Amino acid sequence: MATINFYLDSTRKSGYAPIDLRINCNSKRVKISTKEKIKPVDFDKENQLVKDTSERAIELNHYLSYLKDRAEELVNNSPKKKYTLEEIKCKLTDFVEAYKDGHDFNIVKEQVPLYGKAFTFIDLFAGAGGFSEGFLQAEHNNKFFDFLLANDINENSELTHLVRYNYQLGLDAEFLCQDITEPDFLDNLLEKLEGKKVDVVCGGPPCQSFSLAGKRKKFDKKDDLFAHYLEVIKVLQPKYFIMENVKGILTKERGKIKELILTEINSIVDIKEIPKLSAFVKSLKKTNPESEFILDCLVKRIEIEQFTDIQATGAKENYIKAIDSQFKKITPKIADYKTSKTDSRISTIRHGFNILIRDKVWEKLKRDLIKEKDYCNIDNDYFVDSFTQFITDLDSREIINKIESAFQKLEVRKEFLKQCEDIVEALKIYILNIDECLNFISNYCNEEQNQELKEIVDSIRLYKIKSPFVANSSNYGVPQNRERVLFIGCRKDQKFISEIPATVNEEEKVSVFEALYDLDFIGNNQEAHHYQTVDITKQYNGTAKKMKNLLKTRSIDGKPLSGKGKTFSDWSKSGRLNGRFENTTKPFYVRNSEALNNNQKDYAVLHNHKTSNQGDDVLRRLELILEAGNYKKAQKKLDKCGLSSNKRNYNVLKPEGQSPTVMTIPDDYIHYSTPRALTVREMARLQSFDDSFVFQGKRSTGGNNRKSELPQYTLVGNAVPPLMARAVALEILKNIR
């Protein structure tokens, strides 16, 4: 057993003494300089710590503790049982050099200007940053992407972003840690962008956020995120936007959700064309004099589209006030004075207007209620129906339905009936999107006017989109069959993109073995901070030749090469950013934001490569499933051995194929050669993240914490594979003007 301690070398003229690490083992000694100095009075020899009297005590003690842990790992707990003195010194010096390399780095350096043309992008619902990573890897004909901002609601997303893009790559990309549904989100977004033009917006609103208008919702926190994503698009009006989602979105509610999404995208208008449409609608009053009020309302509704959030709120209030004014004029004609003051039907109409005018306030209240409902786990209980009903009743459509019902029960005389119907019609126009408004306008057009309207519609639609595109990440050099739907919005002044060409064909796809073989040197409950050499001949014995044949040299996007080059694992180790970022420093891990602020950084050659501590029964269960080849075939033997599980499924990885979709729970998968779950780093490899991309914070979490925490496994599982994002970015660079 080795002994490991720190000691102070002789004091220099400056009054500071170097701190050295010393390892004694079997009468042999290794000395490593930590490259740090301290005043002798500030060092506690007995406890091997820097005293609190030193202003850098927190940082230095963390560094020394981490260095000692790595030494302990090498000499006492390493998967490799024997090291030479030189190997130990070399590996520990790697940690020291990495620490010194990043120690004096100040946030934030300016991005190094590059040759060529930079296009800008932002990443919404960013999570770990799969889209961001892929976009930064893409370059074409001296064109590349400049990263402006990412957004997510989770602190660990922000921490991972800060470490990767600000500290490690030296970029000045902002992070907005805020719920996109908050009232001031757009204002804060614009403030952080500081007037910079955004060329591309990417992001994937969670699939739970899609629901049909008017349909009773379950009301969880993810409702309406899609609508808010499009609000950002309406304000920024980028040249392209990409919305990523699960394949099931195409068939959700029998395809109606897909059509709703396309309709909403088609409803994003070119603000510069609004006056032309408004003038056209006003001109229809000449041929439709009896519908002047409705046409005026259509003009007001259309013009709301040209306003940003605060201005739009005022315009909406004025819209409802105009309808309220119309009702006040007609009230004496449909009800006597006493009735108008006491009748519940009249009160319903008046109060409905008041509620609609305060729509912004009610929307905030709804959001707060939904968050509280989610926080208190209200679902499948006696509370859920009343909560759902109340939130539903606050919806503008429900308010308008009640106003319409009140009008119907008033028994209005025939000569005033149209005026009342027009008021209800005007309220329904209020909640139409632009696409629906355009269809509504056509009802007031003759054949010639309809032709003119068609021409205006063609010019007013800002984005071209025909249908969503299904992309399988394995077609882009990712060793994973992960199908996702991409909605690609192309601004009308840009070249149309309908799909993303594959970079590899079926026979060329990257295998699981190519992605993971060089990481297969750790066992149960172990953590590695260095790569170890994997001897395929020794490890796979009779199948070694077959396994070696799986290894191919490839281009960055996975295309096999005939000559020399890098394997997929080589690309993962060296990185796919092509040396673009000159400010890049060594990767590091921090436990949380406080640790980052205190400079408590853990530097290593390899990060996020730790296996879980699984009991004997679990290991035996996994071994039986691995031997059988899949969970179903192993069921009888598991039952016989008393090792059956309530778990729905285990996926045994096939070395020669691609993995199934990587999810957020590690023990859903069994390694192809070892009965264990995957490490964070292995799952990141299957997603095509570079090894230098370090996932921060906790490794995993459970129970109710899953609602608020975003640990490493979840960050990996929820991410867009960077190589697929790179293919998207590359196609945009080829076409963007």
Side-chain angles (χ1 to χ4, degrees), residues 498-511:
S498 60
E499 63 179 24
I500 309 301
T503 60
V504 296
N505 62 36
E506 194 64 35
E507 291 73 35
E508 296 171 334
K509 291 183 176 182
V510 179
S511 68

Side-chain angles (χ1 to χ4, degrees), residues 122 124 186 189-190 201 226-238 241 261 263-272 274 301 304-309 312 316 431-435 462-463 491:
I122 67 171
L124 304 179
L186 267 171
L189 177 69
L190 294 172
V201 175
F226 160 66
H228 288 276
Y229 178 80
L230 284 194
E231 282 302 313
V232 175
I233 303 301
K234 288 176 184 177
V235 171
L236 297 182
Q237 305 210 333
F241 70 87
I261 293 169
T263 297
E264 291 295 331
I265 292 172
N266 283 326
S267 290
I268 302 173
V269 299
D270 185 348
I271 293 172
K272 298 190 297 293
I274 290 286
R301 170 63 192 89
I304 289 172
E305 292 298 310
Q306 65 190 317
F307 300 127
T308 55
D309 198 36
K316 288 177 180 179
I431 55 174
L432 295 180
N433 61 38
I434 281 294
D435 212 48
L462 189 59
Y463 289 98
R491 207 170 70 189

